[in-house]
Amino acid sequence: MNIVLIAPPASGKGTQAQMLKDKYNLYHLSTGDLLRNISKDGSELGIKVKNIIDEGKLIDDDLMIEIVKEKIYSIKNNGIIFDGFPRTLNQAIKLDEMLKEINKKIDNVIVLEIDKEIALKRSIGRVACSNCGNIYNIYFDDLKNPLKCNNCNNELIKRNDDTEEKFNLRFDSYVKNSKKLIEYYEKKNIVNFVSSLNDKETVFAEIKNIINRG
Ligand code: AMP
């Protein structure tokens, strides 16, 4: 089973992808995580990628497709949950071509929906533990110490692109690109919309229902 998650920034996409991975034993392919790792390696490419992410812009399609291609060809036995890819119509078309070559296809596309105002609050309040990776929100979560992880007491850090200005750029880019992307998958009859306003368990229960319906 291969699933695509399409969602605006700070809608809980990464959290749902992680839950899907655990429940259905899928490979979690997060292009945001892949790119953030590349951006840390100090290479010329890493610096270029870091600048693009920090500006809230998209990595160009050719490079993105190359990175994803290498990854999906190395995943042999698992289904994949695509988190953050495709983000453009061109990426979606190329993804179908790549999957076809290895006898795979996208079975389900889940579109998470959220109001811009709420996503903004989730974005600018989001912090992650520098050690265990746990994610919190300074507005919604009960943090024992606002600068430390509840789980392992290590430092909490913010993503550089989680500022109001960058959020607006990323959200507007999502609205612009996702329309054609969703239409593309709607023609294949594999799209389901889920409200991401509820808590993560409720959202996940709805996604599971969709998947179990087949
Ligand atoms: P995310 O963690 O999914 O919010 O992604 C963080 C950033 O990585 C995005 O704002 C983009 O700059 C970049 N990125 C992630 N996935 C893609 C993609 N499929 N195409 C282009 N850029 C991407």
Side-chain angles (χ1 to χ4, degrees):
M1 173 171 64
N2 299 295
I3 303 172
V4 166
L5 264 184
I6 300 178
S11 57
K13 172 168 63 72
T15 304
Q16 293 301 323
Q18 188 65 42
M19 292 167 93
L20 280 164
K21 172 198 160 182
D22 293 342
K23 169 83 187 163
Y24 297 102
N25 190 25
L26 301 172
Y27 183 90
H28 177 194
L29 200 162
S30 157
T31 42
D33 286 349
L34 281 177
L35 291 166
R36 277 184 286 276
N37 279 338
I38 294 173
S39 76
K40 281 186 217 146
D41 71 8
S43 66
E44 203 177 312
L45 175 66
I47 294 165
K48 188 178 145 197
V49 165
K50 183 177 185 314
N51 286 338
I52 297 173
I53 294 180
D54 287 354
E55 282 170 25
K57 295 184 178 157
L58 290 185
I59 305 300
D60 77 75
D61 277 356
D62 288 348
L63 173 60
M64 201 64 258
I65 289 159
E66 244 351 274
I67 293 172
V68 169
K69 189 172 188 172
E70 199 185 311
K71 221 41 246 167
I72 58 177
Y73 283 18
S74 71
I75 302 161
K76 294 275 180 286
N77 300 321
N78 287 65
I80 302 173
I81 167 83
F82 289 93
D83 163 4
F85 185 92
R87 258 179 162 92
T88 64
L89 177 60
N90 184 30
Q91 290 181 7
I93 294 168
K94 289 283 167 22
L95 176 61
D96 277 348
E97 289 172 9
M98 292 190 276
L99 289 175
K100 205 170 169 200
E101 278 182 38
I102 48 172
N103 293 320
K104 287 184 178 174
K105 66 174 174 50
I106 299 299
D107 303 292
N108 249 307
V109 176
I110 308 286
V111 181
L112 296 182
E113 298 185 295
I114 189 167
D115 297 335
K116 188 173 178 181
E117 283 310 304
I118 295 171
L120 169 67
K121 224 170 165 190
R122 287 192 184 174
S123 170
I124 56 178
R126 174 162 56 186
V127 284
C129 174
S130 52
N131 177 48
C132 72
N134 265 12
I135 294 174
Y136 303 93
N137 189 291
I138 56 169
Y139 300 117
F140 308 132
D141 292 323
D142 192 12
L143 284 165
K144 287 183 220 144
N145 176 334
L147 302 174
K148 295 278 165 74
C149 176
N150 276 0
N151 181 39
C152 66
N153 213 31
N154 278 286
E155 191 197 358
L156 294 173
I157 45 174
K158 258 180 93 71
R159 276 168 49 165
N160 287 342
D161 56 355
D162 272 337
T163 64
E164 182 162 355
E165 185 201 351
K166 303 292 162 50
F167 169 83
N168 281 326
L169 279 171
R170 286 159 60 218
F171 198 94
D172 295 346
S173 154
Y174 171 80
V175 172
K176 183 170 146 249
N177 288 309
S178 63
K179 196 170 173 292
K180 283 194 181 139
L181 192 59
I182 295 167
E183 280 168 8
Y184 173 77
Y185 286 123
E186 274 182 320
K187 285 191 195 130
K188 297 174 184 283
N189 242 339
I190 50 173
V191 179
N192 284 284
F193 296 87
V194 173
S195 166
S196 187
L197 290 176
N198 292 315
D199 62 273
K200 64 182 181 186
E201 276 79 19
T202 309
V203 175
F204 188 56
E206 209 174 317
I207 295 178
K208 273 192 302 190
N209 277 340
I210 291 166
I211 291 173
N212 295 340
R213 276 203 311 262

